[in-house]
């Protein structure tokens, strides 16, 4: 499991109902089912990954976060997870609204575009930076809505979401020691992870 998936799993209570949006190959939902006794399900856009997940006995359906979440009933899950997908959806604000409509909690992870290396490469190079996380050129990237930790916190404030827990991790996947400072986390955190709920 990737580091962000392990951190997400740690935020989820055992024996709860979980929907993983952009579930990929089903690694997280498989772990939640086996290790935490969760009723975990996935929705994935890439049909090849859906097929692979289903072949491993995982309940994953083909779907699109931008259009298909509206079909889920209110309060049908305890947790709705969006891992490394926020920056790739067409309507991030609407996706967050839907997540907190169908789940008690939303867990969101995303690469932080405010990281110092990205800022420096943009400043000195004058073109869109590429790193291990942002590894495709601007004209091929699925990341159409890059955001920073501060941007995300501002959106949560505007829409009235309560941040129950948040953390940032650095390039080595370590929890950042400066995680209590938003300004420093925004500068040094390569990835961010948020646990949200409605007021």
């Amino acid at each position: 499991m990737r580091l962000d998936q392990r951190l997400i799993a740690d935020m989820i209570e055992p024996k709860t109902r979980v929907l993983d949006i952009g579930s990929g190959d089903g690694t997280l939902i498989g772990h939640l089912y086996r290790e935490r006794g969760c009723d975990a399900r996935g929705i994935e856009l890439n049909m090849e990954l859906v097929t692979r997940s289903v072949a491993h006995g995982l309940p994953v359906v083909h779907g699109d976060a931008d259009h298909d979440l509206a079909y889920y009933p209110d309060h049908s899950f305890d947790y709705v997870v969006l891992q490394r997908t926020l920056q790739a959806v067409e309507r991030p604000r609407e996706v967050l609204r839907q997540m907190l409509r169908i789940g008690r909690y939303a867990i969101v992870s995303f690469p932080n575009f405010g990281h110092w290396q990205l800022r420096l490469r943009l400043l000195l190079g004058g073109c869109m930076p590429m790193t291990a996380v942002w590894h495709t050129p601007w004209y091929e990237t699925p990341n159409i809505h890059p955001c920073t930790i501060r941007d995300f916190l501002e959106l949560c404030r505007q829409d009235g979401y309560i941040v129950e827990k948040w953390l940032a991790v650095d390039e080595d996947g370590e929890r950042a020691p400066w995680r209590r400072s938003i300004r420093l986390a925004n500068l040094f955190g390569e990835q961010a992870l948020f646990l949200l709920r409605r007021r």
Side-chain angles (χ1 to χ4, degrees), residues 10-172:
D10 289 344
M11 290 183 170
I12 294 173
E13 293 293 324
K15 301 187 185 321
T16 53
R17 295 165 297 145
V18 181
L19 177 64
D20 184 6
I21 303 166
S23 58
D25 64 2
T27 299
L28 178 63
I29 61 175
H31 172 79
L32 292 171
Y33 174 77
R34 285 187 312 277
E35 304 297 325
R36 315 248 347 177
C38 293
D39 176 6
R41 301 157 189 267
I43 178 173
E44 173 57 49
L45 184 60
N46 182 321
M47 195 60 195
E48 182 180 325
L49 294 174
V50 172
T51 304
R52 191 179 314 163
S53 298
V54 171
H56 287 101
L58 300 171
V60 175
V61 297
H62 183 253
D64 181 345
D66 281 304
H67 303 101
D68 296 332
L69 295 180
Y71 298 112
Y72 285 86
D74 293 356
H75 316 294
S76 47
F77 293 93
D78 298 303
Y79 297 91
V80 180
V81 177
L82 187 69
Q83 49 173 314
R84 289 186 172 185
T85 306
L86 181 69
Q87 72 283 354
V89 298
E90 292 174 16
R91 300 171 301 148
R93 187 177 217 163
E94 176 61 16
V95 168
L96 283 172
R97 190 185 72 73
Q98 291 289 347
M99 289 173 70
L100 285 164
R101 179 188 62 78
I102 63 179
R104 281 187 352 195
Y105 296 98
I107 299 176
V108 181
S109 72
F110 59 89
N112 175 30
F113 202 71
H115 189 263
W116 73 270
Q117 288 179 339
L118 294 172
R119 294 182 195 199
L120 187 62
R121 288 179 183 166
L122 185 58
L123 177 68
L124 297 179
C127 56
M128 292 302 292
M130 291 176 50
T131 67
V133 174
W134 301 90
H135 57 280
T136 53
W138 68 269
Y139 48 86
E140 291 180 350
T141 185
N143 300 313
I144 57 175
H145 292 290
C147 73
T148 69
I149 291 171
R150 288 179 71 182
D151 290 330
F152 188 78
L153 285 168
E154 177 58 22
L155 176 61
C156 291
R157 186 194 65 74
Q158 286 177 16
D159 289 355
Y161 303 142
I162 295 171
V163 177
E164 289 278 318
K165 186 176 184 179
W166 71 275
L167 56 95
V169 294
D170 62 18
E171 302 95 8
D172 300 320

